[in-house]
Amino acid sequence: MNADECMETIKLTSRGGDSFELPYAAARLAHVVRDANDENDDGDIDSPEDVEILKVNSPCLEKVVEFLKHYHEEALTEIKTPLEDNTFEGNVKQEWYQNFLKGIDQPMLFDLVTAANFMAIQPLLDLTCLKVSCQLMGKSAEEIRQILNIPKLTPEEEETARRDHRWIFDD
Amino acid sequence: MPPHPKKPKLNSPITTAFAATAAEAEVEVAADRIAEQPHSNADDGIIEDLLEDSTDNDPTINGMSNSLTARILGFLGYKDIMRSRICCRKFRDAARTTIVPWADGENYDSLVRETKFRVNNVRKYKAMVVMATALPNLQQIRLYYDFGNGHKYRDGKDPDEEKAASTADWTAYEIFLISKFSKLRSLEIIRSSLNGRYPVLFNYPLLQKLEIKYCSHLKWDLNALTGLPSLKELNVDTSDSLTGNIKSLRVLKDTLEKVYIRNCEIKGDFMELADFPRLKSLALYYCFLITGDVREIGENDFPVLESLMLGEGAISSTRHQFQRISDVPSAAGAIYRLNRRDPTFIRSLDNFCWSLSRDSPEWYANNGKAGHPHPPFQISFVRAGSRVGWRWKDLTLRLCRSTSTNTCEINWLDPEPDRESNDYDVYTRELQSIQEDVFCFEGYHQPPTEEEYKRLCQEYYDI
């Protein structure tokens, strides 16, 4: 059977043991799901089976499944680099995807980046990385540290960085 | 839920078709995924180990792998990346593998993120030194005007002696470090102080665009392009120390899309490029040593060419000066045939401004009498309705497109339109208008001989 037309649903199970059901055709955007189902290069599979995603916690997996389901209905337009705009909304024009990351906190955003990478969901990885990138644009190092909750450099590192840095920006 | 749901097989190489700008990013990320799972001959125990992985409990940038961080930085321009890297070691490490996006010239101006690094003073040169290790995957560099008096790039091999002597006490900067930007895709060198040969500038496996303009002492040969096997666009202007034969471009047959060389003393026949499958634009302006003959272009040559501009040395190029009157009919026929080809690179016949060369044995001067026509040694295409032809005309006005009052008869390239066709009325009307230009050279389809010219002048004007 061709996996793309597969109407069956499967469950993805989180580290916390919660299961989320979705059509296999939507789930297979995650390469980790394809591989677990031994989908070959021609996209043929037998009967799709459930997959445990032990590296991802429940709230995050729920969000991932929401993404997968929607992506199957409306794919994310490819994000072109270099970016054309200074804002996330200016680079991602589709309303659903804008809203998908609206209001989520920083730990959840990083969880999603890591989950997208682990599950090998390229569009979700692009989208979440872009969201983080947009937080960095035009910001000073101090602002970035606050946004990302980053500990300070050691004084020596700071000094080296400042020295390197000076040449780049004062024009 | 079935009793034993499947667990992902961690040892299977997961193909992550990341749409990164460079293939290296994919390799990088894939390698990193594997690196995260060190004992990749998975059994269930490994998964338990992974759960203990500290990264799971650190949902901050520090929990990110190096390649994921590089990916985040990879949406930014070089300035944002360099600014971010001050924040923490994580960003500093990631910047070393971040592939800075790049943009080609056409959409560059609309971008808000800087992708092209411009080196135009000592300060920027020092920034380049830092970036050579901090951000080596920068993809676009422009060296231009560099330093001004007192500072220069270190002379290359075999420099211009006079220039080298006059700048001997200047502070010299090493250009060699530019080779650290091994993923360069676009390199522009404009009005630079480079003096001599610098093989280091011609060794980039991924370079797609090379621009060298107004660098009179930068010595290079077209055969250096072998070091740039991905080159799509070559843009050279007034590079006085450029040598070589256009034949050297043949190593780039399958990649070149745009070739623009202006005012350089390169040699060879432009037909060497006729079988380039992707060549869309070929311009060899003011390259007088370039030869070739447009008449030789066959139906299958230059398959995707959209624009062709050749210097006067190539026969039937837009401003060619013919040596023989008898060459013109075949040239006009060839241009017309190419104009009708689809896709065509000769979009307008009006651009052609041919003439008989003063060096031609068939050329003669005008009779010097005021009010008399010049000999009709200029050629232009004409149109009546949809019917196209060409004719010789006099040089009185010296402007190709202006109406001349003394022309020879039209040499038609199309048959006369059918009397029944819709076009016929327009054709007759326009024909009448252009025929009015035929006066003393009536009956002549090509220029008269000098004797005939003098006689015609006498008959028509000395009354």
Side-chain angles (χ1 to χ4, degrees):
Chain A
M1 156 173 48
N2 189 287
D4 209 27
E5 292 152 9
C6 176
M7 296 309 289
E8 290 181 52
T9 60
I10 59 161
K11 284 176 186 146
L12 302 183
T13 305
S14 74
R15 180 165 62 206
D18 294 308
S19 295
F20 304 92
E21 194 166 347
L22 77 170
Y24 180 76
R28 69 189 287 277
L29 182 65
H31 282 249
V32 80
V33 171
R34 292 186 197 197
D35 292 351
N37 275 284
D38 285 331
E39 202 180 291
N40 63 25
D41 288 345
D42 302 328
D44 288 330
I45 52 159
D46 301 327
S47 185
E49 291 179 33
D50 298 344
V51 185
E52 283 185 352
I53 312 289
L54 291 175
K55 242 193 146 184
V56 179
N57 65 31
S58 295
C60 182
L61 188 61
E62 187 177 10
K63 205 71 184 151
V64 171
V65 168
E66 194 190 327
F67 178 92
L68 292 172
K69 281 180 179 169
H70 185 83
Y71 190 93
H72 193 55
E73 303 299 323
E74 183 208 8
L76 173 68
T77 310
E78 196 192 328
I79 298 163
K80 295 228 166 67
T81 57
L83 301 177
E84 287 173 0
D85 197 275
N86 268 333
T87 63
F88 181 73
E89 283 73 21
N91 291 297
V92 177
K93 303 271 166 49
Q94 292 154 287
E95 205 181 338
W96 191 91
Y97 291 101
Q98 292 179 350
N99 291 330
F100 177 70
L101 293 179
K102 215 165 247 171
I104 67 162
D105 60 17
Q106 211 66 17
M108 174 59 106
L109 179 57
F110 284 119
D111 274 349
L112 280 171
V113 174
T114 315
N117 184 49
F118 172 73
M119 295 175 73
I121 310 169
Q122 189 232 318
L124 181 58
L125 187 58
D126 284 344
L127 189 73
T128 50
C129 284
L130 175 68
K131 181 81 181 179
V132 181
S133 304
C134 291
Q135 297 174 342
L136 310 180
M137 285 177 186
K139 301 286 193 324
S140 72
E142 197 46 51
E143 286 169 316
I144 291 171
R145 270 195 211 104
Q146 276 167 16
I147 293 163
L148 300 181
N149 194 21
I150 297 169
K152 292 199 171 224
L153 300 178
T154 65
E156 300 81 55
E157 284 174 332
E158 175 97 21
E159 173 50 32
T160 314
R162 288 265 162 228
R163 203 178 50 230
D164 291 356
H165 179 267
R166 195 169 60 232
W167 309 108
I168 312 283
F169 303 107
D170 48 10
D171 62 356
Chain B
M1 185 171 150
H4 298 293
K6 287 213 170 183
K7 287 171 182 168
K9 285 193 293 184
L10 296 175
N11 61 335
S12 59
I14 295 172
T15 41
T16 46
F18 293 118
T21 48
E24 287 74 9
E26 301 173 61
V27 176
E28 185 71 37
V29 172
D32 196 73
R33 287 178 48 82
I34 292 161
E36 278 177 12
Q37 300 135 15
H39 310 291
S40 57
N41 291 325
D43 55 39
D44 287 358
I46 298 288
I47 291 173
E48 307 313 320
D49 290 347
L50 283 171
L51 294 180
E52 299 305 313
D53 189 337
S54 64
T55 60
D56 282 60
N57 303 321
D58 186 8
T60 68
I61 199 79
N62 284 328
M64 294 278 157
S65 68
N66 195 48
S67 69
L68 274 184
T69 314
R71 208 172 160 72
I72 288 167
L73 295 180
F75 280 112
L76 303 172
Y78 74 88
K79 280 193 181 182
D80 278 328
I81 299 170
M82 290 302 285
R83 205 179 281 135
S84 303
R85 77 181 270 288
I86 307 182
C87 294
C88 60
R89 185 186 295 275
K90 189 93 215 165
F91 277 161
R92 265 183 23 202
D93 292 344
R96 285 194 197 106
T97 55
T98 298
I99 303 204
V100 187
W102 84 296
D104 60 30
E106 279 143 42
N107 60 13
Y108 183 76
D109 290 341
S110 68
L111 297 170
V112 294
R113 307 251 69 81
E114 286 257 25
T115 58
K116 189 190 292 181
F117 184 59
R118 296 171 165 82
V119 185
N120 58 341
N121 53 40
V122 173
R123 208 157 42 76
K124 290 295 192 69
Y125 171 81
K126 290 187 177 171
M128 180 163 79
V129 176
V130 172
M131 284 162 74
T133 34
L135 195 58
N137 293 345
L138 192 70
Q139 301 190 86
Q140 285 177 288
I141 292 183
R142 167 187 273 197
L143 310 175
Y144 73 128
Y145 287 101
D146 24 275
F147 313 120
N149 280 352
H151 303 266
K152 64 172 184 178
Y153 285 114
R154 189 177 300 288
D155 293 341
K157 284 177 209 156
D158 186 22
D160 177 76
E161 294 297 345
E162 203 174 310
K163 168 99 178 162
S166 70
T167 61
D169 56 345
W170 290 15
T171 312
Y173 299 90
E174 196 53 71
I175 190 63
F176 188 77
L177 69 97
I178 202 172
S179 65
K180 296 215 178 173
F181 299 101
S182 61
K183 293 197 172 64
L184 266 195
R185 290 186 185 240
S186 168
L187 176 61
E188 300 166 15
I189 307 172
I190 299 162
R191 298 187 194 277
S192 167
S193 63
L194 294 163
N195 183 9
R197 290 186 191 279
Y198 300 86
V200 68
L201 298 174
F202 301 94
N203 187 18
Y204 293 103
L206 301 176
L207 200 80
Q208 295 188 7
K209 183 180 169 191
L210 177 67
E211 197 170 308
I212 298 181
K213 291 183 170 176
Y214 312 108
C215 294
S216 30
H217 301 297
L218 170 59
K219 291 188 181 170
W220 63 294
D221 189 284
L222 286 177
N223 65 22
L225 299 173
T226 14
L228 309 173
S230 309
L231 200 69
K232 288 182 179 173
E233 193 179 330
L234 176 66
N235 192 337
V236 185
D237 197 340
T238 320
S239 190
D240 298 336
S241 305
L242 170 63
T243 54
N245 191 303
I246 196 155
K247 203 175 184 172
S248 296
L249 299 185
R250 289 205 59 80
V251 293
L252 300 171
K253 178 185 164 196
D254 293 318
T255 61
L256 274 181
E257 293 173 7
K258 205 171 166 188
V259 174
Y260 178 102
I261 304 178
R262 185 180 166 278
N263 197 17
C264 293
E265 295 198 347
I266 52 165
K267 296 182 181 136
D269 185 328
F270 77 89
M271 287 299 286
E272 294 281 359
L273 312 188
D275 59 345
F276 280 32
R278 294 172 208 274
L279 191 66
K280 278 193 188 154
S281 169
L282 174 61
L284 300 165
Y285 290 106
Y286 303 105
C287 293
F288 298 105
L289 303 179
I290 292 289
T291 59
D293 188 337
V294 179
R295 288 176 297 183
E296 288 173 10
I297 299 175
E299 277 305 302
N300 300 320
D301 289 332
F302 296 109
V304 299
L305 200 66
E306 290 169 3
S307 165
L308 177 70
M309 294 291 163
L310 298 166
E312 289 172 20
I315 296 173
S316 332
S317 59
T318 32
R319 294 181 178 273
H320 185 62
Q321 301 186 349
F322 286 85
Q323 288 298 320
R324 291 199 312 256
I325 289 170
S326 61
D327 276 341
V328 180
S330 57
I335 294 299
Y336 179 63
R337 173 172 53 79
L338 293 168
N339 173 246
R340 289 293 164 105
R341 198 174 87 158
D342 184 32
T344 186
F345 48 87
I346 292 174
R347 265 168 282 177
S348 173
L349 298 174
D350 298 336
N351 293 338
F352 283 83
C353 184
W354 287 339
S355 55
L356 186 69
S357 168
R358 276 175 166 263
D359 304 334
S360 162
E362 291 166 296
W363 189 89
Y364 51 85
N366 73 65
N367 64 6
K369 293 186 183 171
H372 284 204
H374 287 234
F377 288 155
Q378 193 127 352
I379 302 136
S380 69
F381 287 92
V382 291
R383 205 176 266 105
S386 61
R387 195 183 190 192
V388 175
W390 60 276
R391 61 182 173 182
W392 291 91
K393 60 187 188 180
D394 77 11
L395 289 161
T396 316
L397 292 168
R398 294 204 170 266
L399 291 170
C400 293
R401 280 183 227 178
S402 52
T403 337
S404 172
T405 50
N406 277 288
T407 76
C408 295
E409 302 279 0
I410 299 164
N411 301 288
W412 291 109
L413 294 157
D414 291 311
E416 188 171 17
D418 195 328
R419 277 169 198 280
E420 307 300 316
S421 73
N422 302 334
D423 188 41
Y424 196 74
D425 280 352
V426 184
Y427 164 68
T428 47
R429 202 167 55 241
E430 292 185 0
L431 179 63
Q432 196 178 2
S433 158
I434 55 177
Q435 290 282 33
E436 285 169 7
D437 301 334
V438 187
F439 180 54
C440 64
F441 303 126
E442 191 180 350
Y444 285 88
H445 285 263
Q446 63 177 51
T449 61
E450 189 165 8
E451 291 69 37
E452 288 170 330
Y453 162 74
K454 284 179 177 161
R455 179 175 53 79
L456 291 166
C457 283
Q458 228 166 4
E459 277 178 25
Y460 283 82
Y461 294 89
D462 285 348
I463 302 165

